[in-house]
Each structure stands twice: as structure tokens, then as C-alpha cells.
Amino acid sequence: MFASCADPKTLEGLNWLMCYLTTGKHLDFYWSFVIVLILLAVTAPVALAFGFGGAMAARSSFLPLRMLGKGYTAMVRGVPDIVFFLFFVIALDQGIEWLNHQIQCPDWTEPVRQGLEFRVCPEAKVPLNSAPQLVHQFYGFGLAVVTFALVFGAFAANVLYGAMMAVPRPQLETAEAYGMSPRQVFRRILVPQMWVYALPGLSNLWMILIKATPLLFLLGVQDIVYWARELGGAKTSAYEYPHPDWRLWYFLFLLAFYLGFTRVSEVVLARISARLSHGQATAAGEAMRKAAL
Amino acid sequence: MTCWETIGAYAFRSLGYGERLLPRSDFTLCQQFTLIGSGLIWNVYFGVLALLFGFFFANALALAKASRSAIARKPAEWFIFVFRGSPLFIQFFLAYEALQLLPKAGIEIFGLTVQTAWTTKAWAGALFVLFLNTAAYSAEIFYGALQSVPKGDLEAADAYGITGWNRFRRIQWPTMLRLAWPAYTNEAIFLFHSTALVFFSGFPAFQQRGDALYYANYFADKTFNPFIPYPIVAVYFIILTLILTGLFGLINRRLNRHLPSNMGRKIRLRPQLIR
């Protein structure tokens, strides 16, 4: 990156370290932290939307929809989330290709599953074999985001369903007595009030989501764990920057990153919680009122 | 091969008994059920032992965190923070790399050579990480419960002249356990779930002896068909979860047996404790 780094063999001490930490691969490593943050920023709202839909479906008066919602919320209870991660990535990929196959090549006669292979016609490949590497990477990342959103949506549905149930009944009954339709009650009374009940669960979920991001590695995305293993491994003198096995230090760095991230989140979430409790008819709100007197 | 022969050949494959080679073609449902079930032995092994050892350590940690002396409190707080604030996945990698740095030949202590090679094996290294991890999570639960022991109970103990260790053993600790039990049940369930991570992190599966998810992943990779092995793992884990909830429910009943029946705290599964 810097001009002085042109010949690493001649460098010593701090100069060597500075040049070592700014190699192209290290810049990829730093970029992968941004990828984790992007994943979080995209997944959190999508998962919340999925969760909201799931909770609404679980409360629906229409039986099949209710079953669907309850099934979705129950999904994550008995089964480890990593099973879903491994499952959804392949299942979604194959599902998309199969659908595309049905549309693009209706007169393809061979079966899609031949023994041990999953073979669709070349035009139905997603992304196409001829597509640039970047498209493949984007597609892989997109699949990971959808997988994360599906699994964490189920967790969020659990939390939001509980929060909707926790809103005091009399509040809703009063609204009904004023002649509001069920839809109005939901939109004007239930949803604004449920957030304070949902917040402890949602903040917990955010922490879990942060701590689930290293699993990206298992989904085949070149994330921080991938680069930490790649860069930390012992390098012989055939490499520009030879060094012994430094993986321990790289993983310690990741540990510090996550500890800092969860700590900052904790502080921010505590502030939000305090703000939301303000003026609410809950224990926390009552304590704030007393403290202000 | 009939299904009975398959079960005979692969039922204890994960422990290294039976057929050496894993099936390579013509995968049958029976093979998948048997091998994945065989891998479940490891999940149960990790879960049960980590939970058992972790329980005692968690009690000590919770007490240390509630202690008034900073010398006891600070280390406990830091320990809990580090293990609850970072992903288990990273902890596995870190532990594996750290254990690998131990000298291969063993460490000499007072003329005795302590072997170190076994620590990098999953059965010891991963169990150790899971033990520390569950101890930290459980300690936080126990600490919270310790803080919510009703004031009246302690005052009543004082009034009867029960003090010190006696007060802790007969009043504080049983109440703490009773209050913490529903949350602890959740922790136990999610500990069992996180055992599925072991063979996907740093720890290698020696001679393809892996856990349930390891074999499921093997089948999914070989057949390109995720729709059979993963649901099988799911079914196994649901059964495991149900057994666990049942057992913990029994203990919960016993802990609450002195209360009027309608006051017993029901265990509700709240998925808030995974890592």
C-alpha cells in the first residue's frame, strides 16, 4: 500500500508491522468487518419484519394462518439454529434453481435429481456460470442474509407475540368500547404499547444476533473468521511476510471486537429502554416517576 | 445390507466401534438415521458433562459476583462478561489455538511429565469450553435469582437465629435454585443446542467420529440433498429437548413441592439465552 513497503525483506520492527498490517489481504480482512456490520444492519430490520408477520399470523383468527404463525414461532425452540443455517442455505439455493428451471426449460426431460447430483439446465443456474465472481459473492451473501432473517425472524416472532399478549387487556377493551374496529385497535393501541414489553426480548435478540455473525463462516462467506484463519496460519519464507502461527492473536482480536461490540450495544439498549419506560405503567416507569419527584 | 445389519455396523461409529468406512454411495434412510443417531451420543456427552460440572462452578461464580469483597467480585464479573459477551464459535477457535500452543511433549512439573496432547482433542478441549461457557451463563441466572430472594425470607431466618452458612444452605440457596430453575432449564436446552457447533469450529473430528450435525452435514454434502439429513437431526434434537424439559420439570416440581400447587412457577421455554 505504501511506497516504503515495496521490499518487505528489508523492513524491520514497527515498519515491518505497519507494512504487514496494510497488505491487500489485510485490507480484505478489515473489509470483512464491514461485511459483518452490513449483515447486521440488513438482517435486523428484515428479521423484525418477519417476526412481526409471524406474530400477527400467530394471533390471526383464520386457522391455517394461525397454524402457520405458531409453527414458525415454534420452529426454533427444539432445534439448534445452526441446523437451520446449514439447511436453509442449500435448500434455498436448490429451491430457487428448481423454480428457475421450471420456468426457463419447460421441455427439459431429464430428472433434476440424478442419483447424487442436483442438475438443472445451464440457463437456470443462479447465478449463471458465466457471471462474474462478484455476482457469485453477492448471491452467497444474499442467501446468508435471508437465512439469518428467517431464523431470527422466528425468534423475533416469539418475542413480539409475547409482547402483544402482555399489553394490558383493559387498554384494548377501552378502545373497543370507544367503537374502534379490530384493525384500529391493533394499529393505534396495541402496536404503540407493545414495544416497551418487547424491548428486553428484542435487546437480547440483538445480542444473540451479534454473537451469531461468526456463523457466516459456515455459510461459505469470506468473513472475519475465514480471514483470521487464513492470515494467522504460519507463513514460510516463501511468503512476503513470513511469520509463525499467529492465529491465536487474530482470534484474540476477534474476541476483543465482539466484547466491545456487545458492551456498546448493552449501554445503548439500556438508554433506549430507559427512554421507552418513561411514563409507562410498568415497574421501571414507576421507579422513574418516583425518582423524578 | 438390511437395516439391522446397518444398525449393528454404525450404531457406535461415532465412538470408533463397528464399520470403519462411512457409506459412500447408495445412501439409505436407515444409514442416515443410524449414523446421525450415533453422532447424538457426542451431543449428549458434551451436554450432560458440561451441565453437571458447570452447575457447581456457576454456583461459586454467582456467589463470588454477589460478594461484597472486590477481590472475589471483580474476577467473577469479568469472567461472566467475557464468556457471555463473545460468540461461542470464537471461543472454540480461540481455545483450540491456545491449547495447540502447549508443548507437544508434555510439561515437566516436579519431575512428572504432564501430557498435553489430549487437550486439543474435542472430547476434552470442547468440553472444557462448553463447561466454562455454560458456567458463565448459569452464573448470571443464579446471580439474578440470588438478588431476588424475598427479603422476608432472610428476615425470618434472622428472627429464628439462623445465620451464616446455615442460613445460606437452608434458606438462601434453595430459594435461589427454585427461582432460577425455569431460566436454568432454558440454558440447559440451549447448551445442548450449542453442542452441535463443536465439530464445525476448530476441533477436528478424529477418524470421522463426529456429532449428529457432523454426520448430517456429511450426508448433505455427499447427496446434495439437505431435505433428508437435516430434518433427521431436527427430529433427534426435538426428542432430546422434550426429554430434557421433562427431567427439568420433575426437578422443578420437587423444588416447588412446599408451595400451594397453583403457585409453582411453570417452566416456559423462552429462547432468549442462546449464544
Side-chain angles (χ1 to χ4, degrees):
Chain A
M1 191 178 174
F2 301 106
S4 60
C5 299
D7 188 10
K9 298 272 189 295
T10 60
L11 295 169
E12 296 241 352
L14 268 181
N15 268 335
W16 185 89
L17 194 66
M18 193 192 77
C19 288
Y20 171 68
L21 289 178
T22 50
T23 55
K25 287 205 165 176
H26 272 86
L27 295 183
D28 282 345
F29 177 51
Y30 307 137
W31 177 245
S32 63
F33 282 91
V34 179
I35 289 188
V36 167
L37 296 182
I38 294 174
L39 175 90
L40 281 171
V42 177
T43 310
V46 180
L48 200 60
F50 276 26
F52 201 81
M56 268 172 72
R59 281 172 56 89
S60 157
S61 55
F62 180 58
L63 185 70
L65 197 60
R66 192 164 67 233
M67 301 256 287
L68 188 77
K70 296 249 178 185
Y72 182 52
T73 54
M75 177 179 101
V76 287
R77 291 187 171 189
V79 184
D81 51 352
I82 176 178
V83 175
F84 287 109
F85 285 138
L86 293 179
F87 171 75
F88 275 130
V89 165
I90 316 183
L92 281 174
D93 189 32
Q94 291 190 352
I96 291 170
E97 285 195 347
W98 183 80
L99 269 182
N100 205 9
H101 176 82
Q102 299 294 325
I103 298 163
Q104 303 256 359
C105 326
D107 34 295
W108 187 270
T109 48
E110 290 175 50
V112 172
R113 268 194 202 291
Q114 305 173 13
L116 298 183
E117 283 184 62
F118 182 84
R119 193 173 284 166
V120 292
C121 63
E123 300 86 63
K125 280 264 175 219
V126 180
L128 290 173
N129 281 334
S130 55
Q133 185 61 28
L134 202 65
V135 175
H136 281 271
Q137 278 181 4
F138 263 107
Y139 181 67
F141 183 72
L143 276 184
V145 168
V146 174
T147 308
F148 264 74
L150 270 173
V151 174
F152 281 90
F155 281 110
N158 263 311
V159 171
L160 292 181
Y161 180 73
M164 286 178 183
M165 290 311 216
V167 173
R169 228 7 250 161
Q171 295 276 347
L172 308 182
E173 276 163 11
T174 312
E176 278 160 14
Y178 274 103
M180 289 193 193
S181 68
R183 195 166 296 213
Q184 281 175 326
V185 174
F186 181 76
R187 214 179 59 232
R188 295 189 190 168
I189 311 294
L190 187 72
V191 173
Q193 286 199 31
M194 75 174 197
W195 295 112
V196 71
Y197 300 100
L199 195 71
L202 288 182
S203 27
N204 224 329
L205 205 55
W206 170 251
M207 298 297 203
I208 297 168
L209 184 61
I210 293 176
K211 286 185 267 170
T213 48
L215 298 181
L216 268 180
F217 172 65
L218 298 180
L219 309 187
V221 177
Q222 295 193 347
D223 76 327
I224 45 182
V225 178
Y226 170 85
W227 283 114
R229 275 167 64 111
E230 186 80 11
L231 294 169
K235 299 277 187 296
T236 57
S237 49
Y239 288 85
E240 285 203 316
Y241 296 92
H243 62 76
D245 192 342
W246 280 355
R247 274 179 294 187
L248 184 65
W249 304 112
Y250 278 90
F251 279 115
L252 270 178
F253 179 65
L254 293 194
L255 190 81
F257 167 72
Y258 277 109
L259 284 179
F261 200 7
T262 46
R263 185 82 204 132
V264 169
S265 303
E266 238 172 43
V267 172
V268 171
L269 287 167
R271 289 233 176 120
I272 298 178
S273 165
R275 171 159 300 183
L276 273 187
S277 298
H278 195 83
Q280 289 282 345
T282 57
E286 180 66 13
M288 285 173 81
R289 191 184 65 82
K290 277 197 181 136
L293 281 181
Chain B
M1 252 202 314
T2 64
C3 193
W4 278 116
E5 282 166 6
T6 307
I7 292 178
Y10 287 121
F12 295 102
R13 175 64 181 77
S14 64
L15 303 179
Y17 299 106
E19 196 73 33
R20 267 185 74 88
L21 287 176
L22 294 185
R24 281 166 190 283
S25 55
D26 307 321
F27 302 95
T28 61
L29 257 183
C30 181
Q31 281 173 341
Q32 306 205 10
F33 262 106
T34 313
L35 256 180
I36 293 173
S38 158
L40 204 67
I41 297 172
W42 278 114
N43 294 96
V44 173
Y45 162 84
F46 284 127
V48 168
L49 287 189
L51 209 58
L52 190 71
F53 297 136
F55 177 78
F56 294 103
F57 190 34
N59 274 300
L61 274 174
L63 281 182
K65 189 174 175 181
S67 142
R68 250 181 251 124
S69 128
I71 304 167
R73 198 180 61 237
K74 283 289 166 196
E77 277 176 354
W78 272 97
F79 179 87
I80 293 173
F81 169 63
V82 167
F83 277 92
R84 289 183 78 233
S86 63
L88 179 65
F89 198 51
I90 302 281
Q91 290 166 21
F92 274 133
F93 275 116
L94 199 59
Y96 182 68
E97 301 301 339
L99 289 172
Q100 267 206 326
L101 289 185
L102 294 176
K104 288 279 177 298
I107 306 168
E108 292 259 343
I109 301 173
F110 305 124
L112 284 170
T113 314
V114 181
Q115 293 297 322
T116 54
W118 55 275
T119 53
T120 54
K121 301 278 195 310
W123 69 265
L127 179 64
F128 188 62
V129 176
L130 282 169
F131 153 69
L132 295 178
N133 190 283
T134 187
Y137 277 87
S138 314
E140 188 65 26
I141 294 170
F142 290 153
Y143 170 76
L146 204 58
Q147 300 298 304
S148 39
V149 171
K151 203 167 72 175
D153 288 17
L154 300 177
E155 280 166 1
D158 287 339
Y160 276 104
I162 307 176
T163 52
W165 171 247
N166 251 330
R167 186 177 79 153
F168 174 74
R169 192 175 61 86
R170 293 169 58 181
I171 315 281
Q172 251 180 320
W173 192 74
T175 312
M176 175 202 90
L177 210 57
R178 182 170 70 78
L179 294 177
W181 205 255
Y184 188 59
T185 307
N186 280 315
E187 161 57 22
I189 290 168
F190 288 114
L191 173 71
F192 270 86
H193 286 185
S194 49
T195 58
L197 266 178
V198 170
F199 291 104
F200 286 87
S201 57
F203 292 96
F206 176 63
Q207 290 180 348
Q208 294 186 310
R209 298 176 195 170
D211 76 329
L213 194 58
Y214 174 84
Y215 287 124
N217 191 45
Y218 172 84
F219 283 120
D221 279 352
K222 287 273 186 258
T223 59
F224 283 106
N225 184 358
F227 296 98
I228 296 170
Y230 290 130
I232 293 177
V233 184
V235 167
Y236 275 127
F237 266 101
I238 289 170
I239 295 171
L240 201 60
T241 308
L242 288 178
I243 294 174
L244 207 61
T245 340
L247 282 179
F248 273 70
L250 283 181
I251 300 176
N252 192 45
R253 277 240 310 267
R254 178 159 174 88
L255 287 172
N256 285 309
R257 70 192 182 282
H258 58 289
L259 297 177
S261 60
N262 59 345
M263 273 181 64
R265 287 163 64 102
K266 280 241 175 66
I267 293 185
R268 253 188 61 230
L269 185 54
R270 277 160 303 186
Q272 300 184 358
L273 281 159
I274 68 158
R275 44 230 112 171

